[in-house]
């Protein structure tokens, strides 16, 4: 089970809930909010099916493999416990879940916190007395280590990319009030969080749904927009990392903030492809030539900028020439961190209706060629860091030494910095490290004291 470790109540008759959290960081934030409400109401969170009065499974449904993982997790919870509530993205497909698992107690869609709690109350009544030790910290329950946290700024998405079904699951864009977002960020910083990871379905669009109206934080007016949000977060004195940034022209406005040290010089901007025809079929903006021009401009403004992106190969109708154009784009763009997916004909995606699907063996062959090119680029860019001293945030210390990340590395998706034999640091420490070795993805170095 994927649950946070809590000290259980001493009372033998306290209400106990098991929790399984699957999927992306946005789902993780949803799990944190549900767990926070459970703890606020006095429920115990346990890490065993045997000890739980009920199990909540927060599912993912983005691609077929995620759907299967979610269905398997639901089945395991039913077999081991028997009382299961399902929430999350796959919950938007009620019929699909019940066809496989008809005995689940209830199903809700994503970010349906009140609805989930209503089902919990129905099957496991609220504890009558909330022990003092169950009081929830001001930051709420967090499933991340103490030194970093995800800050979700909005829900849903207004785009209709033909390969994506997220809008059908999570709805259109709904931006959180700017004052609420900044207050949460301040609480996290006050609690010792060293790194905020800003997430949403579309970070660039923050505030578009409310026409960038003015809100208030700390007694001052603040515009509801990505730039104003970034300017305010940049005053907290901690690392701020932007994820899921749609390639709007407005992205150009935050690059100077990175150059000034107010944000980490790190941009997670999923580009998906380089060929103009394929991008048009995907309902995505841009072209290779225009994107390369923007990347060059960004690097002129902020030379230390790290760019992470994701791409899809084997999209319906993709020709060998169009794939080669993508490879050439990679060689010219020299992106630092890149993820690649083969096209998945997930149920409900509009792109499934396009002609000329790419055979699976060609998808896999293109994936392998793509990754070979990108590994060479990544290795060369990391080799260039040897001899530099970088600020490293420590994530973990074990018998072999310490492991951390530089500004170039987001947790779980990017590389690591290994400090072999280093024992005189702790998770959450920030140290200066001389980089001495690199491979395709990771760095090794020595703490400078």
């Amino acid at each position: 089970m994927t649950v946070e470790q809590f000290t259980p109540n001493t009372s033998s008759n306290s209400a106990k809930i098991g929790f399984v959290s699957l999927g992306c960081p946005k789902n993780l934030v949803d799990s944190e909010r549900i767990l926070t409400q459970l703890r606020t109401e006095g429920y115990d969170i346990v890490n065993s099916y045997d000890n739980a009065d009920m199990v909540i499974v927060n599912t993912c449904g983005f691609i077929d493999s995620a759907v299967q993982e979610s269905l398997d997790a639901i089945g395991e919870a039913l077999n081991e416990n028997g009382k299961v509530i399902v929430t999350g993205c796959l919950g938007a497909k009620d019929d699909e879940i019940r066809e496989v698992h008809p005995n689940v107690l209830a199903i809700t869609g994503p970010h349906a916190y009140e609805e989930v709690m209503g089902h919990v109350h129905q099957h496991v009544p609220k504890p009558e007395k909330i022990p003092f030790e169950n009081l929830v910290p001001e930051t709420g329950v967090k499933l991340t280590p103490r030194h970093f946290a995800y800050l979700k700024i909005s829900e849903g998405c207004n785009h209709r990319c033909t390969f994506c079904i997220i809008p059908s699951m999570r709805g259109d864009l709904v931006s959180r009030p700017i004052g609420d977002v900044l207050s949460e960020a301040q609480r996290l910083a006050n609690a010792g969080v060293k790194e905020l990871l800003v997430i949403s379905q579309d970070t660039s669009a923050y505030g578009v749904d409310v026409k960038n109206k003015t809100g208030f934080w700390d007694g001052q007016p603040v515009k509801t927009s990505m730039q104003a949000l970034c300017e305010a977060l940049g005053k907290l004195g901690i690392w701020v990392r932007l994820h899921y940034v749609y390639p709007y022209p407005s992205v150009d406005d935050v690059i100077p903030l990175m150059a000034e040290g107010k944000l980490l010089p790190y941009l997670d901007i999923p580009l998906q492809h380089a060929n103009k025809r394929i991008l048009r079929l995907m309902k995505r903006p841009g072209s290779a030539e225009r994107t390369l021009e923007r990347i060059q401009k960004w690097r002129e403004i902020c030379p230390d900028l790290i760019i992470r992106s994701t791409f899809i190969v084997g999209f319906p109708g993709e020709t060998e020439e169009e794939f080669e154009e993508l490879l050439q784009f990679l060689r010219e763009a020299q992106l630092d961190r890149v993820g690649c997916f083969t096209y998945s004909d997930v149920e409900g995606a509009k792109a499934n209706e396009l002609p000329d699907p790419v055979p699976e063996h060609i998808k896999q062959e293109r994936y392998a060629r793509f990754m070979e090119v990108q590994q060479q680029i990544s290795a060369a860019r990391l080799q260039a860091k040897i001899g530099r001293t970088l600020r490293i945030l420590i994530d973990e210390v074990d018998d072999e030494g310490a492991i951390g990340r530089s500004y170039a590395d987001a947790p779980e998706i990017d590389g690591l910095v290994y400090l072999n034999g280093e024992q005189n640091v702790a998770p959450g420490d920030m140290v200066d490290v001389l980089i001495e070795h690199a491979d395709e993805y990771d760095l090794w170095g020595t703490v400078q004291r």
Side-chain angles (χ1 to χ4, degrees):
M1 296 174 69
T2 306
V3 295
E4 179 73 342
Q5 300 294 318
F6 294 111
T7 302
N9 287 342
T10 54
S11 172
S12 61
N13 61 358
S14 61
K16 299 179 175 64
I17 306 294
F19 204 102
V20 180
S21 183
L22 305 172
C24 67
K26 296 178 285 292
N27 235 31
L28 186 76
V29 172
D30 290 347
S31 295
E32 290 175 341
R33 291 183 179 176
I34 295 169
L35 287 166
T36 296
Q37 189 58 38
L38 287 167
R39 292 285 282 174
T40 299
E41 295 185 8
Y43 291 93
D44 253 5
I45 311 301
V46 297
N47 58 3
S48 167
Y49 290 118
D50 296 336
N51 295 332
D53 297 309
M54 181 195 328
V55 177
I56 300 171
V57 181
N58 190 8
T59 59
C60 179
F62 183 48
I63 57 176
D64 289 344
S65 60
V67 170
Q68 190 57 54
E69 181 185 18
S70 294
L71 291 173
D72 290 346
I74 295 166
E76 179 180 306
L78 283 169
N79 290 335
E80 298 293 331
N81 182 275
K83 297 177 70 174
V84 177
I85 289 174
V86 176
T87 187
C89 286
L90 189 59
K93 300 180 177 180
D94 186 298
D95 293 344
E96 186 172 338
I97 294 172
R98 291 200 180 276
E99 183 178 346
V100 181
H101 300 301
N103 295 326
V104 296
L105 297 176
I107 299 172
T108 80
H111 56 90
Y113 317 122
E114 293 183 5
E115 193 175 350
V116 170
M117 293 306 301
H119 291 306
V120 171
H121 298 155
Q122 182 179 347
H123 297 284
V124 183
K126 282 186 190 181
E128 293 183 5
K129 184 180 179 182
I130 303 177
F132 175 79
E133 61 264 28
N134 261 11
L135 291 177
V136 177
E138 187 181 11
T139 55
V141 173
K142 309 306 290 184
L143 296 179
T144 52
R146 292 182 62 183
H147 59 279
F148 72 82
Y150 293 102
L151 181 68
K152 193 197 291 195
I153 62 172
S154 64
E155 191 57 75
C157 181
N158 288 343
H159 299 291
R160 295 297 182 264
C161 302
T162 58
F163 55 82
C164 181
I165 58 172
I166 285 178
S168 66
M169 295 177 172
R170 291 186 170 262
D172 289 337
L173 175 72
V174 179
S175 299
R176 290 181 62 198
I178 185 77
D180 291 355
V181 173
L182 293 174
S183 294
E184 180 181 349
Q186 184 70 71
R187 288 195 300 271
L188 290 167
N190 291 346
V193 166
K194 302 291 183 64
E195 177 183 13
L196 283 179
L197 300 109
V198 178
I199 59 171
S200 65
Q201 264 71 48
D202 179 2
T203 296
S204 311
Y206 178 66
V208 169
D209 56 314
V210 294
K211 297 182 172 59
N212 302 125
K213 74 176 181 181
T214 299
F216 290 88
W217 175 60
D218 199 25
Q220 299 295 318
V222 187
K223 192 176 180 182
T224 309
S225 70
M226 180 176 71
Q227 183 175 357
L229 172 68
C230 290
E231 289 172 351
L233 292 175
K235 298 175 183 177
L236 295 177
I238 60 177
W239 281 8
V240 177
R241 188 184 302 275
L242 299 184
H243 284 285
Y244 312 113
V245 179
Y246 196 84
Y248 287 127
S250 60
V251 176
D252 300 351
D253 298 332
V254 302
I255 303 300
L257 298 176
M258 297 179 179
E260 295 165 13
K262 296 177 180 177
L263 304 176
L264 287 183
Y266 177 101
L267 191 60
D268 176 7
I269 185 162
L271 297 170
Q272 308 301 2
H273 212 278
N275 175 264
K276 195 167 186 177
R277 187 184 77 90
I278 295 296
L279 286 168
R280 192 163 57 245
L281 290 175
M282 289 178 169
K283 290 196 174 179
R284 298 283 297 186
S287 65
E289 182 179 354
R290 173 62 180 141
T291 302
L292 288 170
E293 289 175 359
R294 294 182 76 191
I295 289 172
Q296 181 180 356
K297 179 182 175 183
W298 295 340
R299 285 174 170 157
E300 288 173 357
I301 297 170
C302 183
D304 286 333
L305 178 65
I306 297 295
I307 302 176
R308 150 168 276 282
S309 192
T310 52
F311 295 87
I312 296 172
V313 299
F315 189 80
E318 181 190 58
T319 66
E320 177 63 21
E321 291 75 19
E322 289 166 337
F323 174 69
E324 284 289 349
E325 184 179 340
L326 174 57
L327 294 185
Q328 184 57 31
F329 171 82
L330 282 183
R331 297 184 185 102
E332 293 183 35
Q334 292 288 300
L335 303 178
D336 301 89
R337 302 295 193 188
V338 172
C340 180
F341 301 90
T342 59
Y343 176 75
S344 174
D345 55 349
V346 61
E347 183 181 352
K350 288 290 185 182
N352 298 341
E353 303 168 9
L354 293 172
D356 304 318
V358 177
E360 188 61 33
H361 72 279
I362 294 180
K363 290 182 189 177
Q364 295 301 327
E365 185 262 346
R366 288 178 181 172
Y367 171 84
R369 288 162 59 195
F370 180 102
M371 292 307 299
E372 182 180 2
V373 170
Q374 182 54 38
Q375 283 173 358
Q376 294 171 0
I377 294 168
S378 177
R381 294 188 73 79
L382 290 180
Q383 285 289 324
K385 295 184 185 297
I386 294 176
R388 291 183 60 185
T389 297
L390 300 178
R391 192 77 167 158
I392 303 300
L393 177 60
I394 302 298
D395 282 334
E396 180 183 347
V397 181
D398 59 24
D399 293 340
E400 296 182 3
I403 303 172
R405 294 175 291 108
S406 73
Y407 78 93
D409 308 302
E412 298 186 357
I413 59 173
D414 291 329
L416 298 169
V417 181
Y418 292 94
L419 310 176
N420 293 342
E422 178 61 62
Q423 300 288 334
N424 296 319
V425 292
D429 285 352
M430 283 192 164
V431 293
D432 292 325
V433 171
L434 175 64
I435 303 302
E436 299 167 328
H437 177 68
D439 64 11
E440 292 90 349
Y441 300 111
D442 301 315
L443 299 171
W444 283 257
T446 303
V447 175
Q448 302 299 287
R449 292 187 168 90

